[in-house]
Amino acid sequence: MDLKKVFEPKTIAVVGVSVTNPLSPGTVIFNKNYHEMGAETIPVNLRGGEIEGVPIYPSVLDIPDKVDLAVIAIRSDLVNPTVEECGKAGIGGVVVISGGFAELGNEGVERQNELAKIADEYDIALIGPNCMGVYSPPFVDTFFLPSERMLKPPAGNVAIISQSGGFIVDQFLSKYAERNIGVSVAVSIGNKAVVDETILMEYFLKDRRTNTVAMYLEGFKEREGRRFLDIAGEFTKNKHLIVFRAGKTAGGQRAAMSHTSSVAASPRLAADIFKQYGILEAENEHEIVSFAKVLSFKHKTIKNGDVVALTVSGGHGVVCADLIPKYGLKLVEFTEEEIKEMRQMINPSAARIAVLNNPIDLTGSAQDIDLEKVFEYLLQLKKIEAVIVLTFPYPPTITMQIGRRLSNIAGRYGKPVIAYVPWLSKYEIIIKGFEINNVPVAHTIEEAVQMIKGLKMRHPKNQH
Amino acid sequence: MDLKKVFEPKTIAVVGVSVTNPLSPGTVIFNKNYHEMGAETIPVNLRGGEIEGVPIYPSVLDIPDKVDLAVIAIRSDLVNPTVEECGKAGIGGVVVISGGFAELGNEGVERQNELAKIADEYDIALIGPNCMGVYSPPFVDTFFLPSERMLKPPAGNVAIISQSGGFIVDQFLSKYAERNIGVSVAVSIGNKAVVDETILMEYFLKDRRTNTVAMYLEGFKEREGRRFLDIAGEFTKNKHLIVFRAGKTAGGQRAAMSHTSSVAASPRLAADIFKQYGILEAENEHEIVSFAKVLSFKHKTIKNGDVVALTVSGGHGVVCADLIPKYGLKLVEFTEEEIKEMRQMINPSAARIAVLNNPIDLTGSAQDIDLEKVFEYLLQLKKIEAVIVLTFPYPPTITMQIGRRLSNIAGRYGKPVIAYVPWLSKYEIIIKGFEINNVPVAHTIEEAVQMIKGLKMRHPKNQH
């Protein structure tokens, strides 16, 4: 099977457009692809007619052009014959949006088995059934939600695999868009009659667009887990895999069973196995974002977690100091000599009151140049592996250039630097100043610390 | 002393405006109050001159009008004589922005003691020194940060007390503004030579504008803790007190010692004491927001934490189910009969696939009316104390009216309801539909669960 037909199609057919119901999934999918996406989009409906002025083909067999991908959103009892037609028409990729398969129990299981058999016979890369499908910019978007109701992230190097369509839209795409985390492909796998997590991982392993896979996982059915871990171990040698597991508690597991009939391993056991295979486990909604963000930048990993926090707000320093051990990191200590050297490089009114232990608080009397000098001094110190800069741009003495100025210095030393900047649109010049220059910006103090934790977990010495 | 002179002044004097440096704290404070705030604002500087076309008085003693509040931002060695002049001029409120007091050690301690003595002699309500001061809309704002660099929350019923000026601006004011949490007064207490947490709590106990106090606390010096707890116990009988403690770890405590020379009790001990006095402890940055939000609404507290989660996205349900026990809450179980009743009230295509255990997943086939019916059914059930609605407005079959429609029903039953809505500007109609109708909206799934936890912790049976 060739998943490229699904993710980078030149031509797609949407089977199940409705000329009467503008809210039907098929119509929503047709409209968004026809108007917004890169693939040529052809409408199909048994009854023919026209939609948006475009003639509707009664069957995929009637389409004269070569079609790469068929998106199917029709009654479940019509799905299998339609996929068979796709096979006959030489269509290599199919996304089945329709529900009415294994999720219904016995009656649907048989239908799903038949669907898998047809796909196998014609060597079709089939996603679904019972899913949102695929968002693969700029080519195709089969999510049956109007684009104006979604938030779409920029193109980038994070691929997403999810056992929940809702979660992918609301927690991955929206949050990644808000935080400028670029996405290569997002896949809602649904009942995974054919294409499952493992097959997708094999694809993303070779996909040049993808550097990191982020995944929402409720668990595996029997035998799936083993196959997945094998490819995961291979994958994490050169790329990153972030997994957020749901269904970890009794109530959550019962809900997961109803939702995707997945069985989770015991949380403790799974966490250990994940670590062994180099998988970065996101422990909450926030780490889904912070890990993906830091790994989408090009940073060295760190071995010990020896960090320094640099700020101009004492309270931020105290809070950061509390979080650092919580995430398995350490505050580097300074000698009297080092403290003296730092005090000599800053302006006299800051020098009088600055706290130059770790966390370093240069106070509200600091200006850009003071931050720059101390920041560069810290990057030079061998004992420091990474720097957290808690930027506080409210005083007028800190300029909008602070992001660019500090990130320029960071670039000269090659050590990981994470900046916290209040995530306000008015500070976008600072945020961009950091991020276009390879310094990821965190949205909360805790997220900054999580990012460093991610870099530590990904160090070869801290795995296996 | 009369703190009303500080929080609701009719006339303020800003001592320390600069005619040469537009970035000096005094000038920033003069400008923002003169142009933006409600109090009449008078500039003062030893050298006279004029600023923004307004004549500068050389001393507060020269001002003919009655002044309620003097804001002082001058060299530390000039502060005490100036406060003495304020006393002679009959000014009842003073905010000392200037640093150069006890935070410097011995040399400054003496100056600070003298400052306190002067304030005592003239019965001045004095905030500071070494602080940001007071933000009290619509009257006065002494934070020496240009308003265009800050985010200011709407007027409301949450008062803020902070041992860190930076934290108050960045974590309270900005976040509360983003989340529509209204603020009555925010106070950065600095070195608290005169007015401290306890005196402020006594004021807010009687302040009709204030229903909840949210506080950033690094700890207390000797004897302060006892006084504070006494007033806290009194306060929480009728109002709410949220405390976020920093400096809980060894590194954090060392940083707190440098920052505010506070000594924290052991974390475990403090947590127990807080509970005993009815204080709601925020365990992270997120709970600072979620607790303040839920308590700024008029909701009953709940005793057992028996909740139901209602959603149209299976993944959201699973994640919520995992969080509920983590926060000491319980998923109510349904009888076969109840499940049958719910299944009968929803549309056939949703009924075929909906999961009606708790969490309830009505699936993407649900429409507004299905959510309404099941929601009302749940509110009627005696065993349910509170409902979490995880709203998912991406499908076009969920309308922008869903917030108003569900909150109308909620109003008829008087049980606490928390809604999760993706916090996107395009969904503001839904968010407002909930919030103007007494249903607080959460920004993350976890925050929704935290809000319910807050209501449980505030039940009289769960304290003392």
Side-chain angles (χ1 to χ4, degrees), chain A residues 231-419:
Chain A
I231 182 73
E234 185 64 25
F235 191 86
T236 58
K237 281 181 194 156
N238 294 300
K239 299 187 175 189
H240 306 289
L241 174 58
I242 301 162
V243 176
F244 175 72
R245 284 188 302 132
K248 294 202 235 181
T249 61
Q253 198 165 333
R254 200 180 53 181
M257 194 65 213
S258 306
H259 182 226
T260 52
S261 41
S262 299
V263 183
S266 84
R268 189 70 259 141
L269 183 65
D272 289 345
I273 292 175
F274 275 22
K275 200 179 159 194
Q276 217 177 95
Y277 283 83
I279 301 168
L280 206 51
E281 181 167 9
E283 308 219 359
N284 51 50
E285 302 165 71
H286 310 291
E287 287 189 345
I288 296 174
V289 176
S290 47
F291 288 166
K293 179 124 199 177
V294 73
L295 296 177
S296 71
F297 284 73
K298 301 252 165 290
H299 269 315
K300 273 197 269 188
T301 56
I302 63 173
K303 189 175 149 202
N304 303 318
D306 295 332
V307 299
V308 60
L310 173 62
T311 180
V312 297
S313 161
H316 286 65
V318 177
V319 171
C320 189
D322 277 343
L323 292 168
I324 279 170
K326 179 178 164 192
Y327 285 99
L329 308 172
K330 285 188 298 264
L331 285 165
V332 168
E333 298 198 12
F334 297 115
T335 64
E336 286 304 317
E337 186 57 32
E338 287 161 346
I339 290 175
K340 205 175 137 198
E341 281 179 29
M342 287 190 274
R343 204 174 296 280
Q344 279 162 353
M345 43 183 82
I346 57 181
N347 81 63
S349 48
R352 218 162 42 99
I353 49 175
V355 178
L356 295 160
N357 300 317
N358 189 0
I360 295 176
D361 171 18
L362 297 184
T363 79
S365 296
Q367 303 188 0
D368 287 10
I369 186 72
D370 302 308
L371 274 162
E372 284 176 78
K373 284 179 185 163
V374 174
F375 181 64
E376 178 149 20
Y377 180 82
L378 296 171
L379 285 169
Q380 285 173 337
L381 289 180
K382 230 181 172 160
K383 59 184 166 186
I384 291 173
E385 291 180 289
V387 181
I388 298 174
V389 198
L390 304 162
T391 318
F392 188 80
Y394 304 96
T397 46
I398 301 291
T399 78
M400 291 298 133
Q401 279 64 58
I402 188 70
R404 187 73 203 198
R405 290 171 74 166
L406 294 182
S407 60
N408 280 344
I409 298 168
R412 295 208 288 277
Y413 292 88
K415 286 183 185 176
V417 172
I418 310 292

Side-chain angles (χ1 to χ4, degrees), chain B residues 1-2 80 83-84 86-87 91-92 94 112-127 193-195 199:
Chain B
M1 76 177 80
D2 181 8
N80 291 355
V83 174
E84 179 113 39
C86 290
I91 298 175
V94 166
Q112 186 164 316
N113 288 342
E114 194 197 328
L115 175 66
K117 226 178 99 193
I118 298 167
D120 185 51
E121 189 180 333
Y122 292 97
D123 197 29
I124 293 171
L126 185 142
I127 310 279
V194 177
V195 172
I199 294 173

Side-chain angles (χ1 to χ4, degrees), chain A residues 85-338:
Chain A
E85 289 180 2
C86 290
K88 286 182 180 150
I91 299 174
V94 166
V95 172
V96 180
I97 304 294
S98 319
F101 291 82
E103 80 277 13
L104 297 186
N106 288 341
E107 41 163 337
V109 167
E110 202 175 318
R111 180 175 291 145
Q112 186 164 315
N113 289 341
E114 195 198 327
L115 175 66
K117 225 179 97 193
I118 298 167
D120 185 51
E121 190 180 332
Y122 290 98
D123 197 30
I124 294 171
L126 185 141
I127 310 279
N130 187 31
C131 71
M132 294 266 195
V134 171
Y135 170 64
S136 180
F139 308 107
V140 61
D141 175 1
T142 77
F143 286 43
F144 51 91
L145 310 167
S147 296
E148 65 275 19
R149 285 185 176 239
M150 297 172 63
L151 225 60
K152 294 189 177 186
N157 61 23
V158 182
I160 303 163
I161 303 173
S162 179
Q163 293 183 350
S164 159
F167 212 79
I168 216 173
V169 173
D170 189 50
Q171 298 291 319
F172 286 93
L173 296 185
S174 284
K175 302 275 162 75
Y176 285 14
E178 284 185 311
R179 310 296 315 290
N180 298 329
I181 300 169
V183 166
S184 57
V185 173
V187 192
S188 152
I189 55 178
N191 294 6
K192 44 183 175 175
V194 176
V195 172
D196 63 7
E197 300 85 353
T198 302
I199 294 173
L200 289 171
M201 291 294 292
E202 281 161 358
Y203 178 85
F204 292 129
L205 179 62
K206 289 177 196 147
D207 181 30
R208 287 185 54 203
R209 290 199 286 160
T210 300
N211 169 58
T212 296
V213 166
M215 197 167 160
Y216 171 89
L217 177 74
E218 291 183 1
F220 291 110
K221 298 188 194 70
E222 42 176 340
R223 282 189 302 275
E224 288 180 351
R226 184 74 248 167
R227 282 174 58 228
F228 175 76
L229 286 174
D230 284 344
I231 182 73
E234 185 64 25
F235 191 86
T236 58
K237 281 181 194 156
N238 294 300
K239 299 187 175 189
H240 306 289
L241 174 58
I242 301 162
V243 176
F244 175 72
R245 284 188 302 132
K248 294 202 235 181
T249 61
Q253 198 165 333
R254 200 180 53 181
M257 194 65 213
S258 306
H259 182 226
T260 52
S261 41
S262 299
V263 183
S266 84
R268 189 70 259 141
L269 183 65
D272 289 345
I273 292 175
F274 275 22
K275 200 179 159 194
Q276 217 177 95
Y277 283 83
I279 301 168
L280 206 51
E281 181 167 9
E283 308 219 359
N284 51 50
E285 302 165 71
H286 310 291
E287 287 189 345
I288 296 174
V289 176
S290 47
F291 288 166
K293 179 124 199 177
V294 73
L295 296 177
S296 71
F297 284 73
K298 301 252 165 290
H299 269 315
K300 273 197 269 188
T301 56
I302 63 173
K303 189 175 149 202
N304 303 318
D306 295 332
V307 299
V308 60
L310 173 62
T311 180
V312 297
S313 161
H316 286 65
V318 177
V319 171
C320 189
D322 277 343
L323 292 168
I324 279 170
K326 179 178 164 192
Y327 285 99
L329 308 172
K330 285 188 298 264
L331 285 165
V332 168
E333 298 198 12
F334 297 115
T335 64
E336 286 304 317
E337 186 57 32
E338 287 161 346

Side-chain angles (χ1 to χ4, degrees), chain A residues 19-94:
Chain A
V19 294
T20 52
N21 177 10
L23 302 187
S24 83
T27 303
V28 171
I29 295 168
F30 171 77
N31 275 328
K32 77 196 302 193
N33 282 281
Y34 186 77
H35 290 296
E36 304 158 30
M37 304 304 291
E40 193 196 342
T41 306
I42 299 166
V44 177
N45 182 311
L46 220 55
R47 294 192 199 86
E50 77 175 37
I51 184 168
E52 301 271 319
V54 182
I56 299 174
Y57 290 96
S59 156
V60 292
L61 288 167
D62 300 319
I63 303 173
D65 318 27
K66 186 183 170 318
V67 173
D68 297 314
L69 169 66
V71 186
I72 298 176
I74 56 180
R75 266 173 36 206
S76 57
D77 56 320
L78 300 176
V79 168
N80 291 357
T82 301
V83 174
E84 179 112 40
E85 289 180 2
C86 290
K88 286 182 180 150
I91 299 174
V94 166

Side-chain angles (χ1 to χ4, degrees), chain B residues 254-414:
Chain B
R254 200 179 55 182
M257 194 64 212
S258 307
H259 182 225
T260 53
S261 41
S262 300
V263 183
S266 85
R268 189 71 260 145
L269 183 66
D272 289 345
I273 292 175
F274 276 22
K275 200 178 159 196
Q276 219 178 95
Y277 283 83
I279 300 168
L280 206 51
E281 180 167 9
E283 308 219 359
N284 51 50
E285 300 166 72
H286 310 290
E287 288 190 343
I288 296 175
V289 175
S290 46
F291 288 165
K293 179 124 201 180
V294 71
L295 296 176
S296 70
F297 285 72
K298 300 252 164 289
H299 270 314
K300 274 196 270 192
T301 57
I302 62 173
K303 190 175 148 200
N304 303 317
D306 295 332
V307 299
V308 60
L310 173 62
T311 180
V312 298
S313 160
H316 286 64
V318 177
V319 171
C320 190
D322 277 344
L323 292 168
I324 279 170
K326 179 178 163 192
Y327 285 99
L329 308 173
K330 285 188 297 266
L331 285 165
V332 168
E333 297 199 11
F334 297 114
T335 64
E336 285 304 317
E337 186 56 32
E338 286 161 346
I339 291 174
K340 206 175 135 198
E341 280 179 29
M342 287 190 276
R343 204 173 295 280
Q344 278 162 355
M345 44 183 83
I346 56 180
N347 82 64
S349 48
R352 220 162 40 100
I353 49 175
V355 177
L356 296 161
N357 300 317
N358 191 358
I360 295 176
D361 172 18
L362 297 185
T363 80
S365 295
Q367 304 189 359
D368 288 10
I369 185 72
D370 302 309
L371 275 162
E372 284 177 76
K373 284 178 184 164
V374 173
F375 181 63
E376 178 149 20
Y377 180 83
L378 296 171
L379 287 169
Q380 286 173 338
L381 289 180
K382 231 180 168 159
K383 60 185 168 187
I384 292 173
E385 290 181 291
V387 181
I388 298 173
V389 199
L390 304 162
T391 318
F392 189 80
Y394 304 96
T397 46
I398 301 290
T399 78
M400 290 298 133
Q401 279 63 58
I402 189 70
R404 188 72 203 198
R405 290 171 75 166
L406 293 182
S407 60
N408 279 343
I409 298 170
R412 296 208 288 277
Y413 291 89

Side-chain angles (χ1 to χ4, degrees), chain B residues 22 26-36 41 51-52:
Chain B
T27 302
V28 171
I29 295 167
F30 172 76
N31 275 327
K32 76 198 300 195
N33 283 280
Y34 186 79
H35 290 295
E36 304 158 30
T41 306
I51 184 168
E52 300 273 320

